[in-house]
Amino acid sequence: MGGPARIGPGMLTAGSRPLHFRFDGRELQGLAGDTLASALLANGVLQVGRSFKYHRPRGIVTAGPEEPCALVDVIGLHGREPNVPASTLPLSEGLTAESQNRWPSLRLDVRSLADRLARFLPAGFYYKTFMSPGWAWERLYEPLIRRAAGLGRLSADLEPHADPAETVHDHADVLVVGAGAAGLAAACRLGGAGLRVILAEQDVLCGGGTLLDERWTQWRNALRARLEQLPTVRCLTRTAVLGAYGHGVFGALETLSADESARFGGLRERFRVMRVRRVLLATGVLERLIAFPGNDVPGVMLAGAALRYLRRYGVAAGRRPALFANNDEAYEALFALAAAGVHCAGVIDPRPDSRPAARARALGIPVHGAALVGAVDGRHQVRAVTITELDGRPRFVLEADGLLISGGQLPASALAGQLGATLEWHEGQAAFIPQLAAASGHIAGGARGVCGLAAAAADGDAAACAVAAELGRSAAALDLPPVPADPEATALRPLWEVRGRGKAFVDLQNDVTTDDIRLAVREGYEHLEHMKRYTTFGMATDQGRIGGLVGCAVLAEARGVPLSEVGALRERPFTQPVPFAALAGAEVRGHFRPRRRLALHAWHESAGATFVSAGLWLRPLVYSREPGWAPVLAEARAVRERVGITDVSTLGKIDVQGPDAARFLDLMYANTFSTVAVGRARYGIMLREDGLLLDDGTTSRLAAGHFIITTTTANSAAVLEHLEFHLQSTCAALDVVLTDIADQWAQFAVAGPRAREVVAPLTALDISKEAFPFMAVAETTLAGVPGRLFRISFSGELAYELAVPATEALAVWSALLESGARFDIRPYGLDALNTLRIEKGHITTAELNGNTTAEDLGLQRLLKKQGDFIGRTLAQRAGLNAGERLQLVGVRPAARSARLRNGSQLVSPAAPGMSLGYLTSATPSIEFDGWVGLALLSAGRQRIGERLLARSPVHAEEVEVQILSAHMLDPENTRVRS
Amino acid sequence: MLRIPCPWCGLRDESEFRYRGDAGRPRPAAEAGLDAFNTHVYERDNPRDWHTEWWLHIAGCRRLLRVVRHTLTHEIRSVEAASQPQGAERGR
Amino acid sequence: MWRLLREGLRGQQGWTRAWSKATPRPRYRVLIVGGGGHGLSTAFHLASEHGIRDVAVLERGPIGLGNVGRNTTIIRSNYFHPDNIRFYELSLTLWERLERRLNFNAMVSQRGTLNLFHTEAQRDLFTRRANQMRLLGVDAEAVDTSGIRRLVPLADLDNGRYPVLGGFLQRRGGTVRHDAVAWGYARAASAAGVDIIEHCEVTGLRISGSRVSGVETPGGFIAADTVCLAVAGHSSHLAAMAGLKLPIESHVLQAFVSEPVKPLLDVVLTYGAGHFYISQSDKGGLVFGGAIDGYNTYAQRGTLPMAEEVAAAAMTLLPPLARLKVLRQWGGVMDMSMDGSPIISKTPIEGLVLNGGWCYGGFKAIPAGGLTTAHLIAHGAPHPAAAHLDLGRFAAGRTVDERGVGPSPYLH
Amino acid sequence: MSAPERELPGEAAAGTRCAPVGTDIIELTPFRERTHVLKALAARRGLALPATGWLAITRETLLLCVRPERWLLLTAPAPPGAALAAWRPACAGCAAAIELTAGLTALHLAGPAVREVLARGCRLDLHPEVFVPGSAAATTMAQVSVTLGALPGGWLLLTPSSTAQHLREWLAATARPFGFAPDAMLSVSSLSGERAP
Ligand SMILES: Cc1cc2nc3c(=O)[nH]c(=O)nc-3n(C[C@H](O)[C@H](O)[C@H](O)COP(=O)(O)OP(=O)(O)OC[C@H]3O[C@@H](n4cnc5c(N)ncnc54)[C@H](O)[C@@H]3O)c2cc1C
Ligand SMILES: NC(=O)c1ccc[n+]([C@@H]2O[C@H](COP(=O)([O-])OP(=O)(O)OC[C@H]3O[C@@H](n4cnc5c(N)ncnc54)[C@H](O)[C@@H]3O)[C@@H](O)[C@H]2O)c1
Ligand SMILES: Cc1cc2nc3c(=O)[nH]c(=O)nc-3n(C[C@H](O)[C@H](O)[C@H](O)COP(=O)(O)O)c2cc1C
Ligand SMILES: [Zn+2]
C-alpha cells in the first residue's frame, strides 16, 4: 500500500464533520474544510483526469488555483459545470464530480491511443495535414478534432431558473492584493494611517505563506486581530483579484462561503469592481515545475502543494514520497512530512549540498546531491524514479509512491504584468522580477522577489509606508509582535529540464513537451509568442502559471539566447478563469436592458395591447393578442373613417429656451425656425455635418425664445446629444437652455375626420379650421389639465396632438376616449400608425436610415438657401446629388392580390440580377386596394409609372410592382388641413 | 478603462460619457468651402500621442469636456469644461 | 501528410523554417510595411500572380501578432453594399481555395454564420441584405426560430427581453485559424521569393518631390519604387510620416476566449440586441467579442465594462453558459475608417499605396485585400472588385457606409 | 393628491426602506449672465442656490444642483401647473423654468443597508466621508439615469419617470437579502432633516 492518505488533523479540517461525495461514481468521504483535491488524496485517489491531447493519466499537481491537471466536471442541480479545479473546490455534502476528457472511463481511455501515436502528432501537426481531399477537412477531420479537443463537457438546462448574480462596486484608497506576510503587514500599516484599505485574499484564510510555518502563528493572529480593529480596513477573503484595468480599476471575484451563499439566496459568487487610488501587489510566489520525462505521472506534485495538503488538511501526498528540488524552500514539505511520521524515500537535488540537505540527512532521509530525476516509473501512479548524474548517466532507481518537485519559486506577477510591469531577470533566483512605475502601483514581498517571510513582512511594511506617503499620510508606528527570523538559504541552482527518453512536459494541460518547443524553433516559430501559438504552450486554463518560465527557458536554450531575451508570457485578465454568470452580474436575460414604460402602460395592458420593444421602450403594437393584419387594419380603418387615438409619448421632446433659441435652431436644422410665428409648428430636418439626414420632426414655437422640438423615438438620445454637443462647442456663444422633457409629457395623437369633434370639448380654445389651422400650436388647458395642443398629423388625417404632464395622462386619455365614444374612437398601436404613415408617404427610420439625403427623400425644398446650417456645405457634393441615387417612391403590386415584403430588391425585368433599390416599408392598405409600400429606388422619381419586379429570393418571391409617387394618399394635404 | 475627472462631478467611469472625437477640429466658417469641410469631417490626426478630445458627460452634468489624454498610455493630463457656464461655482 | 509520417519516424528532425528570416537588401521594387494578414497576402499575390518577387515585407515585431493574430476569426460576405458584397465574396471564394493554394491548413471552417434579429426593423434590414446577396449569387437564407433552435440548441430564444424573431444564415461563412493565415501566407510568399523581414520597424517614409523613394528603419534606409502601407491600426501613424492625414481613427476592439469544452456551438452566432458574437474554436474555447471601445486608442488591451457587457449578452442569449469560465481577454487596435469600409487606394504621394481602414472586419478580407492590393501595385489601377474602396470617395460623397452612422468611428 | 404626512421611519428591522416622495419639481436654469438675478429671486423666496454637487434643504423645499447652473427645486405637491406658475413669470427673461414633476420620480431610501444596496448598482463612492450629507450627484444606476442626494436621514433618489418602475423593482430585488420594506409616501417637508444624521 502506498499513495496519499490523511494522516492527521489539518488546520482546516481538524475536528470537522465528515462529508459524503461522489467521484466518478465512487462514494467517498471527506471532511468539512477539505477541497475536493484534499479529499480525493485523503481517499488515496491519485488519478483525476486525462490530458488534453495525449489523454495521459493526470493527478493533482498543486493546491491552488494554478492547477493545470486536476480539473473536474461538477454535476449540479441545473447541469454540468466543466473545468473546476479540484484544488480550490470546497467539499460539500453530496458533491458529485467526474473526471474529464476520457472515454469510456478514467482508467481506460480510448483516445489515449493519441499518446502512442504521439510521434506522428507533433505540435502544429494539423497545419500540415488534413487538407485533402478538399471536402474532408470540414466533414471529417474537423469534427474529429473538435470532439477530441475541449476539456470538460458543459450542459445545462434552458429553464430560466436564473442563478442569482451580483456585481458590487467597491472604493478604497488602497487595494492590497494578497494577505500573506507582506500583505498583512502592509494593510496594518495603511489602516493605521487612517487610509481606506481593501485587503483581498483569494484563500479562505488570511496568511499566505505564514499559514505553512507554525512559527508565524502568533504574528499572524496578532495582525489579524489588529486589522479587525482598524475601522478603515476591509478584509475580503475568498476574493481573487482577476484583472487590472488601469485608472485604479480592478475586477475581483468573491466566492461566497456556504453560510453567506444561503443568506443571499444561493448566490455563489460576487463580482467586485474595485476603484482605488493606489494598489499594492503582495501576491507572493508560485512554485514552478521541472521538465523531466514522466513529470506528469499521477503522484508527481509540487513540493509546496504537498506542504499545503499536510498543514491544511492533514493529508500526506504519499506514504513514501521522494523530493526532487533545486532549492531550500522545497525541503519544508519534506520536513513537515517527516515530522508527521511519513517516511521519505529520499531527496534528489542537483546541488552537491545545501543547508536543508544536511538537516534532511540528520533526520535520516537519504539525500542524493548533484543528481537529477531522469525518468519516472509508473503510468497511473509513481512507483519509482530513476536517479541520474548531472550528465544524465543513470545512478540508480529509487522506489517511491510519490514525487514532490520544485524548480524554485517565482513572483506571482500576473497582475503586475497586466499593469505593464517590466520584467528584470534575476540570476540568483532564476526568475523574472516585475517592476512597476510608481504611478502604476507598488509590489511587495515575494511578488517582487523578496525571499523569506520576515523579509516579505518588512517589505510589505516599507511599501505601505511609501504608499501612505504618496497619499499624504504619515504612517503611525505599529506595535506588533516580532517576526521569526528567516532561515539562511543556500543558493538555488537553476534547473529547467532533464533530458531523457520520454515526454517532458512544460504545459501539463495542453500537453506541450520540451520537444515540441524545439520543433517550433526548427520551424521558425522561435519568438515566444509564435511558439506559444504554434504549440499552444501557456494557453490552457492555468495560463502557464507553473510551467511558463520553464518553457521559456527551454525555448531560450533551443535558440541559444539568454532567457532574458526570450522574456515571459504576456499577462492578460483573468488571473483565474471567471464564470460567465459572475462576470455578467444581474443584468441578464429579462433584466438585460431596463424597460422604459409609458405613463399609460397599465391602461394599454388592460386594453389588451401586444407590446413591442422599441429601444428601451415598451410600446403597444396593436390592441389585440391575435396574429395577423386584421386587428391592425381595423385600428387604421377607424382613423381613416372616424377617429383613433394613439400614444406617441415615446417621441423625443426637447425644450429649447433662451434669447438665442431661434438662431440655434436655424443652425441645427436645415430649414429655418426663426421665421416660425409664435403659436406655430414647422416640420424640420436635421443633417449631419456630412450632409446626410440625421432626424426629422416638428418643432413648435411657444414664445419668441421658447421652442419645443420633437424627435423620432429611435433618435431621441442621439439628437439631444447632437444638440448639446454643438451648443457647448460650435455654438458656445449662444445663450440657450436645452432640457430633456421626454418623460414629463405624455403625448397623444387624435386622428381622423372626427378628431376635431373629439378634442373640442376638452378645451376652451377655438380649434376650428380657421382659428386653429394645420400647424397651429397652443398652450392650453386640456380636460382641466395645463397642456399643449398641436395640430400636426403623421397619419395624413385631420389630427391633433395633445401633450399633458405624464402624471395626468390617464385622466386626459380617458377624457378623450369618453369624448370620442360617440364616434367609436379606437386606440391604435404602432402597426396601425405605420400603415397610416406609409399610405401617406411619411418617413421613419426605415427611410431615414443614415444613408439618405434630403433630396433622396424628396425633402430638398426644405433646405434653406440663406444662412449656414450643419451639413449645408457637404450636402452639395456631387456624390450626394448624383442622378442614380436611391430616391423615395411609392410602390403597389401590379396584381392587387399580391403582397409586398420589406427588404425585397427592386429590379427591372430586363436585368433581374441588378438591384435598383429596395422596399423599406409595406402594408396592406386601407385606402387602396391591396398592399402599398415605400421604396428607395435608383433615380426613383424619374421612374414613376414604371413597372419593376420586387424580388425576395430568400423567400422565393417575386412580385411585379408599379412605381408611384411617395405621396400616395391625399397629395394635396386637404385632409390634414380640413 | 478610463476614469475621467469631471470638473463638476469628480472622477467618473468612461461609461458615463459619450466620446465626441478629436477636439482640435473647429467647425470651419460657413463659407469656407468644400475642401475645408471635407477636411474637417473626414481627416484625423489620430496620433499615437497626446490627443485633445471631446467627452460629453451624458450621465452626469451633461457638460462637454475637453480632455487631453495619451492614446497609448491613457494617462489623462487635463480636463476642462468646453465652455464655462458663467458664474457656476465648482462643486467637488 | 506523408511528410508527417516520415518525420514521425525521424523524430521530427527534418522540418525547416516555415519562412526564412531575411535581412534587408538596400532596395526593392515593392516594400510592404506591416507583416499582418494584408501585408503578407499582398506580398504573396505580388509574387504568385504578378511575378513581382523583388518584394520585402517589413514588420516591426514578429509577423502575425497584430490584428490578424488577435481577432475573432469570422469570415462571411454578408454586406449591404453590393460592391462590398462582391469584394468580400471574392475573399470568401479565395478562402475556399486557400489551403491548396498555400499547402498549409488554415482550418477554413465553413460552419455557417447566423445573424439573429429581434425586431421587425432588423428583420427588414437583414432581408434586404440577404436578397441583395442572392441577386449577386451569394448564399444567404432566412431561418425561422425552429431552425435556430436546431442550429443552436443552447440559445434561449425568448430570453425575457428581446426575443429572437428569426435569423439569417450564410452557410459558407465560418471561421479560419487566424495565426495559420499569417504563417501560411508568409511561408508561401517566402517560398516565392519574398523577403520577410521581422523586427524591422519603419520609422520614416522618404519622399522625393511628390514620390515616395523608400523607408527609414533603425537599420537604415531601404529604397523602393512602391511602398505599400498595410499596418492596420497604425495607418495614421505611418501616413503622418508622409505628411498625410487619413480618414481613419484607431480604436480598440476586444476579444475573449473561454476555457475549452467539448463541442457546444456549431455556427458563428451574432446577437442582434446588443453587440455580441460568438463561435467555438477547434480547440474548444468559445471565442467572442462585442463592440469597439469607442475612443481613440493605441492600447492593445481590454476593459472591464466591455467584459461585463459581453458576458451579460452571452448569458442572455445562451444562458447555459452560466458556469462556463472566461479565460482571457485582450484587445486589438483597429483602423476605423470614416464610413466603416476599407481603403485600398493610391494616395496623393506617388508610389505610396494604402491598404487600411479595415475596421473590425478585415480578417475575412485578407485574401481579397492582398489580391486587389497586389493588382493595384502591379497595374497602377484598381482591381474591379476594390475600385469602390478608393480614398477619393470621402470627399466626393461616395462613402460606403454599411451602418449609416456617418463619419463618427465611435458609432460604427 | 397630497401625501399623508408621515414621520421619517425609524431604525426598524429592514435594511432598506423605500418610500415614494410626493413632490413637485421644477428646474431653474439661468440664461447668460443672469445667475445673480436668479439667485436674488431665490433669495427673496428664502432659498439659497447650492453649488454644483450639493443640495440645500429648507423646511418646505429641497434644492439640488447636479449640473452646473441648473437647479432642481422640489416643493410640496400643488395642483398641476401651480409650481411652475409660481416661478415662470418671475423667471421671464432671466431663467428657464421648466416643470419636471411628471418627468422625474422621487424616492426616499433609508435604513442601515442602503449603501450596501446602492453599491450593487451605483458606481460612485458613497462612503459617508466622501459623499457627505448634503452631497448630490447625477449618475447611472442599474443602467438608468439617477440623481442621488445624501439627506440627513436617508437618501433621495430621482429617476426619469419612464424608468421608475424598473428602478423600484431593481431596488426591491437587490435589497431583499438585506431586508426590504416599501413605505408609504413621504412629503418633501418631511425630508427637511430635523432628524440629525
Ligand atoms: C478583437 C478583434 C476581433 C476581430 N474580429 C474579426 C472577425 O471576426 N472577422 C474579421 O474579418 N475581422 C476581424 N477583426 C479585424 C481584423 O483582425 C483586422 O481588420 C485585420 O487583421 C487587419 O489587417 P492585418 O491583418 O493586415 O493587420 P495586422 O495584423 O494588425 O497587421 C499590421 C502589422 O503592421 C505592423 N506595423 C505597424 N506599424 C509598423 C511599422 N511602423 N513598421 C513595420 N510594421 C508595422 C504591425 O506590427 C502589424 O503586424 C478583428 C479585430 C480585432 C482586434
Ligand atoms: N515558508 C513557506 O512555506 C513559504 C510559502 C510561501 C511563501 N514563502 C515565502 O514568503 C514570501 C512571500 O510572502 P508574501 O507575503 O509576499 O507572499 P505569500 O505567498 O505569503 O502571500 C501571497 C498571498 O497572495 C494571495 N494572492 C495571490 N494572488 C492573488 C490574487 N490575484 N488575488 C487575491 N489574492 C492573491 C495568495 O493566496 C497568498 O495568500 C516569499 O519570499 C516566500 O519565500 C514561504
Ligand atoms: C481565436 C483565438 C483563440 C484563442 N484561444 C486561446 C486559448 O485557448 N487560450 C489562451 O490562453 N489564449 C487564447 N487566445 C488569446 C491569445 O492568448 C492572445 O491573448 C491573443 O492572441 C492576443 O495576444 P496578446 O494577449 O499577446 O496581446 C486566443 C486568441 C484567438 C484570436
Ligand atoms: Zn460631469
Side-chain angles (χ1 to χ4, degrees), chain A residues 45 87 97 269 285 291 306 317 331 337 402 404 445 504 594 619 659 672-673 677 770 785 793 908 912:
Chain A
V45 176
S87 50
E269 38 307 86
V285 294
Y331 282 72
L337 283 165
L404 314 185
R619 301 184 67 175
T672 310
F673 281 94
E770 297 70 28
V785 174
S793 172
S908 97

Coordinates of all heavy atoms in Angstrom, one line a residue, chain A residues 45 87 97 269 285 291 306 317 331 337 402 404 445 504 594 619 659 672-673 677 770 785 793 908 912:
Chain A
V45 N -7.0 8.6 -3.8 CA -7.2 8.8 -5.2 C -6.1 9.6 -5.8 O -5.9 10.8 -5.4 CB -8.6 9.4 -5.5 CG1 -8.8 9.6 -7.0 CG2 -9.7 8.5 -4.9
S87 N -8.5 21.5 -6.8 CA -7.7 22.1 -5.7 C -8.2 23.3 -5.0 O -7.7 23.8 -4.0 CB -6.3 22.4 -6.4 OG -6.6 23.2 -7.5
A97 N -18.7 14.8 -8.6 CA -17.8 15.3 -9.6 C -17.4 14.1 -10.5 O -17.4 12.9 -10.1 CB -16.6 15.9 -8.9
E269 N -21.1 33.4 -6.3 CA -20.0 34.3 -6.2 C -20.5 35.8 -6.5 O -21.6 36.0 -7.0 CB -18.8 34.0 -7.1 CG -18.7 33.4 -8.5 CD -19.3 32.2 -9.0 OE1 -20.4 32.3 -9.4 OE2 -18.6 31.2 -9.0
V285 N 4.4 34.3 -4.2 CA 5.2 33.5 -5.2 C 4.4 32.3 -5.6 O 3.4 31.9 -5.0 CB 6.5 33.0 -4.5 CG1 7.4 34.2 -4.2 CG2 6.2 32.2 -3.3
A291 N 11.0 20.2 -15.9 CA 10.6 19.3 -17.1 C 11.5 18.1 -17.1 O 12.7 18.3 -17.2 CB 10.7 20.1 -18.4
A306 N 2.4 19.9 -1.6 CA 2.4 18.8 -0.6 C 2.4 19.3 0.8 O 1.7 18.8 1.7 CB 3.6 17.9 -0.8
A317 N 0.9 13.6 0.8 CA 0.9 13.3 -0.6 C 1.3 11.9 -0.9 O 1.1 11.4 -2.0 CB 1.7 14.3 -1.4
Y331 N 12.3 21.9 0.7 CA 12.6 20.9 1.8 C 11.6 21.0 2.9 O 11.4 20.0 3.7 CB 14.0 21.0 2.3 CG 15.1 20.4 1.4 CD1 15.4 21.1 0.3 CD2 15.8 19.3 1.8 CE1 16.5 20.6 -0.5 CE2 16.8 18.8 1.0 CZ 17.1 19.4 -0.1 OH 18.1 18.9 -0.9
L337 N 6.5 16.5 6.5 CA 6.0 15.2 6.4 C 6.8 14.3 7.3 O 6.2 13.4 8.0 CB 6.2 14.7 4.9 CG 5.2 15.2 3.9 CD1 5.6 15.0 2.5 CD2 3.8 14.5 4.2
G402 N 5.4 8.6 -4.5 CA 5.1 10.0 -5.0 C 6.3 10.8 -5.2 O 7.4 10.4 -4.6
L404 N 7.7 14.7 -5.0 CA 7.5 16.1 -4.8 C 8.5 16.9 -5.6 O 9.7 16.5 -5.5 CB 7.5 16.5 -3.3 CG 6.8 15.5 -2.4 CD1 6.8 16.0 -1.0 CD2 5.3 15.4 -2.9
G445 N 7.1 42.1 -1.2 CA 7.2 40.7 -0.7 C 7.7 39.8 -1.8 O 8.4 40.2 -2.8
A504 N 8.7 15.2 -21.7 CA 8.9 16.0 -20.5 C 8.0 17.2 -20.8 O 8.2 17.9 -21.8 CB 10.4 16.5 -20.4
P594 N -33.0 47.8 -19.1 CA -34.2 48.3 -18.4 C -35.3 48.4 -19.4 O -35.1 48.5 -20.6 CB -33.7 49.6 -17.9 CG -32.5 50.0 -18.6 CD -31.9 48.7 -19.2
R619 N -43.8 49.5 -26.3 CA -44.9 50.3 -27.0 C -46.0 49.3 -27.4 O -45.8 48.2 -27.8 CB -44.4 51.0 -28.2 CG -43.2 52.0 -27.9 CD -42.8 52.7 -29.2 NE -43.9 53.6 -29.7 CZ -43.7 54.4 -30.8 NH1 -42.6 54.4 -31.4 NH2 -44.7 55.1 -31.1
P659 N -32.6 83.5 -25.3 CA -32.6 84.6 -26.3 C -32.1 84.2 -27.6 O -32.6 84.7 -28.7 CB -31.6 85.6 -25.7 CG -31.4 85.3 -24.3 CD -31.8 83.9 -24.1
T672 N -35.6 76.8 -41.7 CA -35.5 78.0 -40.8 C -36.5 77.9 -39.7 O -37.7 77.6 -40.0 CB -35.7 79.2 -41.7 OG1 -34.8 79.1 -42.8 CG2 -35.4 80.5 -40.9
F673 N -36.1 78.3 -38.5 CA -37.1 78.3 -37.5 C -37.3 79.7 -36.9 O -38.3 80.0 -36.3 CB -36.7 77.3 -36.3 CG -37.1 76.0 -36.7 CD1 -36.2 75.1 -37.3 CD2 -38.4 75.5 -36.5 CE1 -36.6 73.8 -37.7 CE2 -38.8 74.3 -36.9 CZ -37.9 73.4 -37.5
A677 N -43.8 81.6 -36.7 CA -44.6 82.5 -35.8 C -44.8 81.8 -34.4 O -44.9 80.6 -34.4 CB -45.9 82.9 -36.4
E770 N -60.3 77.5 -39.0 CA -59.8 78.9 -39.2 C -59.0 79.3 -38.0 O -57.9 79.9 -38.2 CB -61.0 79.9 -39.4 CG -61.8 79.6 -40.7 CD -62.6 78.3 -40.6 OE1 -63.0 77.9 -39.5 OE2 -62.9 77.7 -41.6
V785 N -56.4 70.1 -17.4 CA -55.0 70.0 -17.1 C -54.2 70.9 -18.0 O -54.5 71.0 -19.2 CB -54.6 68.5 -17.4 CG1 -53.1 68.4 -17.2 CG2 -55.3 67.5 -16.5
S793 N -50.0 66.2 -38.0 CA -50.5 64.9 -38.4 C -49.5 64.0 -39.0 O -48.7 64.4 -39.9 CB -51.7 65.1 -39.4 OG -52.1 63.9 -40.0
S908 N -35.3 45.5 -62.6 CA -36.1 45.6 -63.9 C -36.1 44.2 -64.5 O -35.2 43.4 -64.3 CB -35.4 46.6 -64.8 OG -34.6 45.9 -65.8
P912 N -32.7 41.1 -64.1 CA -33.3 40.7 -62.8 C -32.2 40.5 -61.7 O -32.5 40.3 -60.6 CB -34.0 39.4 -63.1 CG -33.4 38.9 -64.3 CD -32.9 40.1 -65.1

